[in-house]
Amino acid sequence: MQLLAHVFAKDVRLGWADFLYSPTQLPQSYCDTAALTDKLAKAALHSRDLHIDPQQLPETTNFLSDTAI
């Protein structure tokens, strides 16, 4: 992984989620954010990716991004 080789310190461990969140699917409260952070930290500690079940996330809403021409 190039990020580990060139950006982060030698002994850094990363926790990755196997799902790309929409901005409207990100945790909305402090408690939800803390719970997700804890899960990612535990995944990193054990050198695993965090499996996210998309069916458990709220449905995405339509939004316009990158309005620059």
Side-chain angles (χ1 to χ4, degrees):
M1 183 174 289
Q2 294 299 314
L3 283 175
L4 291 174
H6 301 289
V7 177
F8 297 110
K10 180 179 148 191
D11 294 327
V12 166
R13 293 184 182 195
L14 295 176
W16 296 96
D18 65 353
F19 182 80
L20 185 59
Y21 286 91
S22 166
T24 57
Q25 293 175 315
L26 293 170
Q28 297 294 309
S29 70
Y30 173 82
C31 292
D32 292 340
T33 302
L36 178 60
T37 302
D38 185 57
K39 290 177 186 176
L40 284 168
K42 287 178 182 175
L45 185 64
H46 298 289
S47 299
R48 294 188 311 238
D49 292 337
L50 178 63
H51 174 68
I52 303 294
D53 182 6
Q55 301 300 324
Q56 300 295 329
L57 296 174
E59 189 172 324
T60 61
T61 57
N62 293 331
F63 61 93
L64 182 62
S65 64
D66 195 10
T67 58
I69 296 177

